[in-house]
Amino acid sequence: MQSPTGAATILRVLRVCLHVGFAALLLVAVTRLLAGVGAAGSPSTVAVVAGLGLSALLALVYLAGTILEKRHAGDPARFNPTHYAGWWLGAVMLLWLLLLLVSGDFAWVAFPLFFLQLHLLPRRLALPAIALSTALLIGALWFHSRGSADGGLQLAMVLGPVFGAGFAVVTGLAYRALFLEAENQRVVADDLRRTRAELAQTQHDAGVLAERERLAREIHDTLAQGFSSIVLMGRSAENALESGDVEAAKERLRIVQDTASANLAEARSFVRGLRSPDLEQSGLVDTLRRLCEKTETEAAARGTTLRCRFELVGTPVELPNTYQTTLLRAAQASLANVWAHAKARAVVVTLSFLGAEATLDVFDDGIGFEPSTAAGTARGDGTGVGLLSLRERLATLDGGLEIESAPGEGTVVAIRVPLPAEDGAP
């Protein structure tokens, strides 16, 4: 439930005071009408009865209008009395004028009626209506004072209604200005709540998209490559069994088991958002060295001659988990592309720590390609996201990726990441 603003509270208090004031003044007028019964110059019994009936009818009409307005304000689905506000105001004013004919005591009721005219009528009609009501009020006071000792039009009969109308106009205009300000505040508050809700939804969608992209990168760089290796090793094992080479089949099945176990560990780690299990066991240098050995072993198991060598340049620096994972995934993706596409016989993975940056170069002597054709865009079958995934990883570390290749001249994948400062920032 929304808490009302200060302006809205003031408006509510003013509205309640207006209704209470109308009821109190009407009650005072009825009381004076009854108190004057039997006195000299008092209205006749018929006039008193008529005054009481008109007073009750005026109270009922006024109460019905305020109740309908309040119900609609609390629930806009209820009956909307706005379209009948003019007729309601006309009925109230007519009953008040009839009461003025009965007794001049009902002149006091005019003050809250001035506010109703300002509230329900446009300003161009409200001011003339108030002026006309003031003139009729002065005329009624003069009419009821004809039989008194001070018969005739007195100055007080003119100044009282005129000052009352003037005060009502000034107060009513201030009320309207306050009402408009409260409406503007309500509109601004609604816009702010809607904007905050849209922002929260946008942030939620962005978080979901970022998590999906993270999972897509991890799946491509770990599970997808592992499954590809398992499929190839399985086929190789099948071929070995068909040829009667049981030992080769056992070796390749062992590689399948190792790869499956590694994939399972990788899946559990990136679901938890942790570092690679390989990096948990040892540092980046040893992990890259084992990766080269594994690549060479798997290539031999598939019947392919591929020499994979790891080289270290410079003094290793302890890198944060994000940097180590990015460089490891880059090496895994690059080597996967080598044995899948390059048809190379040798590949060298070089990790260098030079000055304020670390570099990872993967060189192969394969068939090469035209770099302009490797746009790094995903294909419909879920492949072709390797370079795109790698660029996204490096972008988070302010790193860069360069590819040098030509048909028949091999390929060099050069990865650069700035070393983190002492506070951990790039």
Side-chain angles (χ1 to χ4, degrees):
M1 182 177 180
Q2 302 171 4
S3 59
T5 61
T9 303
I10 295 175
L11 289 174
R12 183 178 301 175
V13 172
L14 290 176
R15 191 178 297 112
V16 171
C17 290
L18 174 65
H19 298 328
V20 172
F22 175 84
L25 291 175
L26 182 61
L27 180 61
V28 168
V30 171
T31 303
R32 288 178 59 86
L33 178 65
L34 293 175
V37 173
S42 61
S44 63
T45 303
V46 175
V48 172
V49 173
L52 292 177
L54 290 172
S55 298
L57 183 58
L58 176 59
L60 289 175
V61 171
Y62 188 92
L63 183 62
T66 55
I67 290 177
L68 290 176
E69 180 186 18
K70 182 175 180 59
R71 287 183 176 180
H72 176 70
D75 184 6
R78 289 179 175 268
F79 172 74
N80 186 5
T82 305
H83 304 294
Y84 305 94
W87 293 100
W88 176 77
L89 178 62
V92 170
M93 295 302 297
L94 177 61
L95 292 173
W96 172 67
L97 290 176
L98 292 177
L99 286 172
L100 273 181
L101 293 177
V102 174
S103 173
D105 293 327
F106 291 95
W108 300 103
V109 183
F111 188 70
L113 296 181
F114 291 154
F115 287 100
L116 288 180
Q117 291 172 327
L118 282 170
H119 179 63
L120 298 177
L121 297 177
R123 187 178 303 179
R124 57 184 178 84
L125 297 179
L127 296 180
I130 292 175
L132 178 60
S133 300
T134 303
L136 292 175
L137 178 59
I138 294 174
L141 292 176
W142 170 78
F143 174 77
H144 288 290
S145 66
R146 289 177 305 163
S148 63
D150 299 328
L153 187 63
Q154 304 295 323
L155 183 61
M157 297 180 186
V158 178
L159 293 181
V162 169
F163 276 107
F167 180 77
V169 168
V170 173
T171 306
L173 293 179
Y175 174 90
R176 174 169 294 185
L178 191 61
F179 175 78
L180 293 177
E181 180 183 355
E183 281 296 301
N184 291 334
Q185 291 180 356
R186 182 186 63 79
V187 171
V188 171
D190 291 341
D191 290 341
L192 179 59
R193 283 190 292 269
R194 183 171 58 255
T195 301
R196 291 174 61 183
E198 293 175 354
L199 179 59
Q201 184 62 37
T202 300
Q203 292 176 339
H204 172 74
D205 294 342
V208 171
L209 180 60
E211 182 62 13
R212 289 179 59 185
E213 291 177 349
R214 182 186 77 86
L215 292 177
R217 289 195 298 266
E218 296 292 344
I219 291 173
H220 176 271
D221 294 342
T222 57
L223 300 185
Q225 296 176 14
F227 289 147
S228 297
S229 179
I230 290 173
V231 171
L232 293 175
M233 288 295 100
R235 292 174 181 173
S236 181
E238 182 180 6
N239 294 333
L241 288 175
E242 291 177 353
S243 63
D245 191 351
V246 178
E247 292 301 323
K250 289 182 178 180
E251 176 64 19
R252 289 161 192 177
L253 288 176
R254 184 189 60 79
I255 295 176
V256 168
Q257 292 176 353
D258 293 342
T259 304
S261 299
N263 269 20
L264 180 60
E266 289 284 3
R268 289 172 175 170
S269 68
F270 72 66
V271 167
R272 298 193 305 269
L274 302 178
R275 64 190 305 183
S276 171
D278 293 332
L279 294 174
E280 290 286 347
Q281 299 173 5
S282 59
L284 177 62
V285 174
D286 292 337
T287 301
L288 291 177
R289 183 176 289 111
R290 289 199 308 271
L291 177 62
C292 290
E293 295 172 355
K294 178 183 176 183
T295 301
E296 189 170 316
T297 301
E298 291 183 353
R302 291 193 300 268
T304 303
T305 302
L306 176 62
R307 295 179 61 251
C308 185
R309 187 174 77 254
F310 172 73
E311 294 183 357
L312 175 64
V313 178
T315 303
V317 177
E318 184 64 27
L319 297 175
N321 175 37
T322 305
Y323 287 75
Q324 295 189 49
T325 302
T326 298
L327 292 174
L328 174 60
R329 299 298 186 228
Q332 290 173 330
S334 300
L335 291 177
N337 287 333
V338 169
W339 64 256
H341 308 293
K343 299 180 181 179
R345 300 181 63 85
V347 58
V348 179
V349 178
T350 304
L351 177 64
S352 304
F353 295 90
L354 305 173
E357 66 180 16
T359 62
L360 178 69
D361 298 325
V362 180
F363 165 75
D364 69 80
D365 61 353
I367 61 176
F369 62 95
E370 181 59 45
S372 60
T373 62
T377 56
R379 293 186 285 271
D381 60 355
T383 61
V385 299
L387 289 178
L388 179 61
S389 172
L390 184 54
R391 293 185 191 277
E392 290 176 348
R393 285 182 181 275
L394 293 171
T396 62
L397 302 180
D398 198 24
L401 169 66
E402 294 182 4
I403 300 176
E404 298 180 5
S405 183
E409 298 184 6
T411 303
V412 176
V413 177
I415 297 163
R416 175 194 58 81
V417 291
L419 293 179
E422 293 182 356
D423 59 356

